Amino acid sequence: MISGQAALVYLTKPTTEEKKQVQRMLRKYRELKLIVEDYKAHAELLKQTIYESEITRRLDSDELYANKTVNAVQLAQNQKRAAEECDLIRSAIERAVSMIPDDETRQAITLRYLKGHTYSETLYNMKRGDKSSTIDRCMNEGMLSVAHTLKTWGLLKRDMNS
């Protein structure tokens, strides 16, 4: 049984602003995925940079060089933190999309946002031809479903008016 604050969030319909926020997140999904993939591809290099920079900092007393070393370490740590945050959002988006109850709606959102197809390509892949009203309905329902899930999980910014 759901109780307390979680129940209130679960029972409230996403606002227009929350739906727009989810649409922005979905549009950025592929970019988030690239940031995570790039970090994973270069994680060992970043770890090595941090390690070598720390050793150099301890051995070299030159203040200018020490500052550059600190900057390199800070940059590597910032990249790691950004990749972890992007991975959290990417994963939440994927999970929220997978939880869309209607198969057709889930397919439309997956094609359009997770796979990065254009609107026309999404229409074509869903074998809808010129029936854009069905795709529009699916997109709207999918956005609301994802917004509802992400809102329940606390991943959407709070509406300042409520």
Side-chain angles (χ1 to χ4, degrees):
M1 180 92 187
I2 298 175
S3 63
Q5 187 66 25
L8 291 175
V9 172
Y10 182 76
L11 295 173
T12 58
K13 183 178 175 184
T15 65
T16 302
E17 184 51 43
E18 288 167 335
K19 183 180 163 196
K20 287 178 185 177
Q21 191 178 348
V22 164
Q23 189 172 29
R24 286 189 298 272
M25 290 171 80
L26 285 167
R27 285 185 177 146
K28 293 284 186 180
Y29 169 82
R30 300 201 26 100
E31 200 174 308
L32 293 171
K33 192 172 177 180
L34 287 174
I35 290 169
V36 172
E37 289 170 355
D38 178 75
Y39 175 77
K40 287 179 180 177
H42 298 95
E44 284 305 313
L45 177 63
L46 291 169
K47 286 178 190 173
Q48 189 67 29
T49 299
I50 292 170
Y51 175 75
E52 289 174 3
S53 295
E54 185 59 27
I55 289 174
T56 304
R57 186 185 65 78
R58 290 180 185 173
L59 297 175
D60 195 337
S61 62
D62 179 19
E63 189 176 316
L64 177 64
Y65 191 74
N67 286 340
K68 287 182 179 179
T69 302
V70 169
N71 288 342
V73 169
Q74 201 167 25
L75 178 63
Q77 289 171 340
N78 288 346
Q79 288 177 12
K80 179 181 180 186
R81 207 171 11 261
E84 288 170 349
E85 288 176 21
C86 289
D87 198 31
L88 174 74
I89 295 168
R90 178 206 52 82
S91 176
I93 289 171
E94 288 174 357
R95 287 178 54 210
V97 169
S98 74
M99 293 172 63
I100 296 171
D102 180 64
D103 291 338
E104 188 175 44
T105 299
R106 186 178 338 100
Q107 181 185 16
I109 294 292
T110 299
L111 288 169
R112 179 72 176 99
Y113 296 105
L114 303 191
K115 293 191 176 182
H117 292 291
T118 64
Y119 184 82
S120 299
E121 291 168 339
T122 302
L123 272 171
Y124 177 79
N125 283 311
M126 292 190 67
K127 315 257 186 287
R128 287 288 172 200
D130 294 331
K131 296 183 182 175
S132 62
S133 61
T134 302
I135 298 300
D136 292 341
R137 179 191 50 78
C138 287
M139 293 291 185
N140 187 52
E141 287 177 8
M143 294 282 179
L144 287 172
S145 177
V146 171
H148 190 268
T149 300
L150 295 180
K151 181 178 181 176
T152 302
W153 292 344
L155 288 173
L156 296 182
K157 292 177 189 168
R158 299 284 179 219
D159 186 0
M160 299 301 167
N161 297 326
S162 57

